[in-house]
């Protein structure tokens, strides 16, 4: 996850961005995200119109002073990621699973609407 700054109320809060892979099969759109160290109760997946959003929180369970770190690459705290879904994704059919610290979201693909020829009537 990479770090970004997000404005939260009147103070700046660091927020991580979740890394994802998005791919398609003939029948599905699949989103895969590694989220090690996150409890199931701290993950939220939502869809609004054509945007899928994954939010969560990775909690640091021990307190280490900043000056004691030799390397600090892991992001602890809240994270989110929004993905614009392709037109062929059916957001009414979504399945999400968490296995071995990998979140997998599957959306059913729909047939793309074919071009229709409109007959013009005369008076």
């Amino acid at each position: 996850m990479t770090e970004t700054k997000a404005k939260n109320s009147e103070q700046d809060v660091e927020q991580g961005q979740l890394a994802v892979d998005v791919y398609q099969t003939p029948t599905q759109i699949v989103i895969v995200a590694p989220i090690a160290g996150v409890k199931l109760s701290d993950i939220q997946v939502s869809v609004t119109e054509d945007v899928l959003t994954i939010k969560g929180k990775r909690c640091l369970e021990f307190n280490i002073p900043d000056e004691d770190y030799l390397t600090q690459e892991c992001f602890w705290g809240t994270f989110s990621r929004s993905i614009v879904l392709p037109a062929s994704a059916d957001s009414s059919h979504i399945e999400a699973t968490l296995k071995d610290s990998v979140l997998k979201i599957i959306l059913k693909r729909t047939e793309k609407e074919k071009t229709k020829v409109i007959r013009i009537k005369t008076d």
Side-chain angles (χ1 to χ4, degrees):
M1 280 193 287
T2 59
E3 293 179 30
T4 59
K5 286 274 190 181
K7 191 77 170 171
N8 186 3
S9 308
E10 296 179 356
Q11 62 187 115
D12 284 334
V13 176
E14 283 189 44
Q15 188 173 61
Q17 184 172 341
L18 186 64
V20 298
D21 287 342
V22 181
Y23 64 91
Q24 63 184 349
T25 71
T27 60
Q28 301 173 329
I29 303 292
V30 182
I31 301 164
V32 179
I35 51 174
V38 180
K39 296 178 186 175
L40 181 60
S41 60
D42 290 333
I43 304 170
Q44 178 187 0
V45 177
S46 61
V47 176
T48 304
E49 294 181 13
D50 63 343
V51 178
L52 182 133
T53 301
I54 304 166
K55 293 182 180 180
K57 182 178 180 183
R58 181 178 287 123
C59 298
L60 183 62
E61 297 185 7
F62 35 87
N63 190 11
I64 299 170
D66 287 343
E67 62 270 8
D68 289 344
Y69 275 99
L70 300 175
T71 302
Q72 187 175 16
E73 295 178 351
C74 299
F75 182 83
W76 303 98
T78 60
F79 59 84
S80 69
R81 182 68 184 264
S82 293
I83 301 152
V84 176
L85 299 172
S88 62
D90 181 355
S91 62
S92 65
H93 293 92
I94 300 176
E95 177 185 317
T97 59
L98 182 65
K99 182 179 179 186
D100 297 330
S101 298
V102 175
L103 177 64
K104 186 175 187 179
I105 301 167
I106 300 173
L107 295 97
K108 182 178 177 183
R109 283 188 66 180
T110 59
E111 289 291 322
K112 291 185 179 182
E113 191 170 309
K114 295 179 182 176
T115 304
K116 294 181 183 179
V117 176
I118 308 300
R119 186 174 152 190
I120 303 171
K121 297 179 183 179
T122 59
D123 289 335

